[in-house]
Amino acid sequence: NVNLDKKVWNCWHCSWSGGLSDGTYSRPVVTKVWRKPDYVAKSEGPSADLVEWFSARGITPEVLRRNQIGKGIRYFPQVEEERPCLLFPYLRGTEVVNVKSRTRDKLFRMETGCERVLYGLNDVSDRLVWVEGEIDKLSVEVAGIQSCVSVPDGAPAETSKNYSNKFDFMDAPELEKAKVHVIAVDTDAPGVRLKEELVRRLGRENCLIAQWPDECKDANEVLMRHGPEVLRDCLLDAEPLPVEG
């Protein structure tokens, strides 16, 4: 509100305040405090049923163990009930900062009040592969490439108009290590939109585009249909975008 008698103004939402006569103002520095999820990886590694489910998708037990994949029961608001699910911990250093839960019929949820970061943030190096889902990131690792991240919320829907806050993960200081970005997202319409958004934010001159075989739409399908060698070749053979001038 604005008080014309006292010549001062104040925002009751963010506490930004100041004076009308001299133009002075103050804006408080707000530090976001994130909740930490309750997730402890089992030291003995993935269970037999987890190994079986992921093996059908080409993911090895070694990759599951390194990424601390687990299982549990979580509440899913989409169906208003608890369901058994896969658990993908999001790590920053040794700390779990978020966990994505996924049912086998593709219901997803992230932990509330926890930081949303890239999946695979610890693996960032100078040549970084970008994919659209956790299983795609694990598939790229099976192909022998660890430097791969997945966006936490998938691709923006075709109809979404304002999704800039969905890209807050781009502020991660870990990304400064990457000099070349290989965009290897899905080939459907949301994936194309995600590709365009990543290229715009990362810079066309810094990006290479991976091409999948005709019948495949993502990294995991390439792994399942053609094997790790072909997936690796697709990523290593990624091509630059044309740059004007």
Side-chain angles (χ1 to χ4, degrees):
N1 73 348
V2 179
N3 187 316
L4 294 176
D5 296 327
K6 296 182 178 180
K7 293 183 170 51
V8 294
W9 51 270
N10 180 70
C11 173
W12 297 98
H13 174 68
C14 69
S15 298
W16 191 17
S17 60
L20 296 173
S21 55
D22 55 7
T24 60
Y25 66 88
S26 65
R27 175 178 280 164
V29 177
V30 179
T31 302
K32 181 73 173 178
V33 178
W34 301 104
R35 185 178 71 83
K36 293 297 185 293
D38 181 19
Y39 185 84
V40 179
K42 293 182 178 179
S43 58
E44 64 268 23
S47 60
D49 56 337
L50 268 185
V51 170
E52 181 182 1
W53 191 86
F54 278 99
S55 293
R57 286 149 186 81
I59 312 298
T60 64
E62 293 75 23
V63 169
L64 297 180
R65 187 176 296 107
R66 195 187 83 86
N67 290 276
Q68 303 181 38
I69 310 301
K71 64 177 183 176
I73 297 176
R74 294 290 187 273
Y75 177 81
F76 288 85
Q78 305 96 313
V79 291
E80 298 184 348
E81 66 180 24
E82 292 185 337
R83 293 272 185 91
C85 56
L86 308 171
L87 301 175
F88 298 87
Y90 279 58
L91 292 138
R92 170 172 265 153
T94 59
E95 188 176 42
V96 177
V97 297
N98 210 324
V99 178
K100 179 174 281 189
S101 307
R102 172 201 162 140
T103 64
R104 299 193 179 193
D105 57 345
K106 291 191 175 182
L107 295 176
F108 299 91
R109 63 158 291 182
M110 300 282 281
E111 295 294 309
T112 57
C114 296
E115 187 178 9
R116 270 175 153 82
V117 299
L118 289 160
Y119 183 67
L121 199 58
N122 287 346
D123 296 331
V124 175
S125 69
D126 59 342
R127 182 185 172 101
L128 180 63
V129 177
W130 292 74
V131 295
E132 198 174 317
E134 293 80 10
I135 292 180
D136 290 327
K137 188 271 190 280
L138 302 181
S139 300
V140 171
E141 190 168 326
V142 171
I145 299 174
Q146 268 190 22
S147 181
C148 177
V149 292
S150 169
V151 295
D153 294 309
E158 294 177 79
T159 56
S160 60
K161 290 184 172 62
N162 183 13
Y163 50 83
S164 59
N165 64 329
K166 295 289 188 183
F167 288 84
D168 290 346
F169 54 76
M170 302 290 287
D171 296 333
E174 291 87 346
L175 290 177
E176 295 176 6
K177 302 176 194 172
K179 308 305 178 189
V180 176
H181 300 272
V182 179
I183 311 302
V185 296
D186 294 9
T187 57
D188 56 13
V192 170
R193 193 170 191 184
L194 175 61
K195 177 185 72 174
E196 293 170 350
E197 190 67 29
L198 289 174
V199 167
R200 184 179 72 82
R201 292 168 180 269
L202 296 168
R204 293 176 69 87
E205 69 280 6
N206 302 316
C207 293
L208 305 174
I209 306 299
Q211 302 292 335
W212 304 134
D214 290 341
E215 72 280 13
C216 300
K217 76 174 183 65
D218 58 33
N220 185 243
E221 285 195 5
V222 178
L223 177 65
M224 292 173 62
R225 290 172 180 262
H226 300 282
E229 293 80 11
V230 172
L231 174 55
R232 182 180 177 85
D233 288 343
C234 289
L235 298 171
L236 295 179
D237 294 340
E239 298 180 352
L241 288 157
V243 179
E244 291 185 6

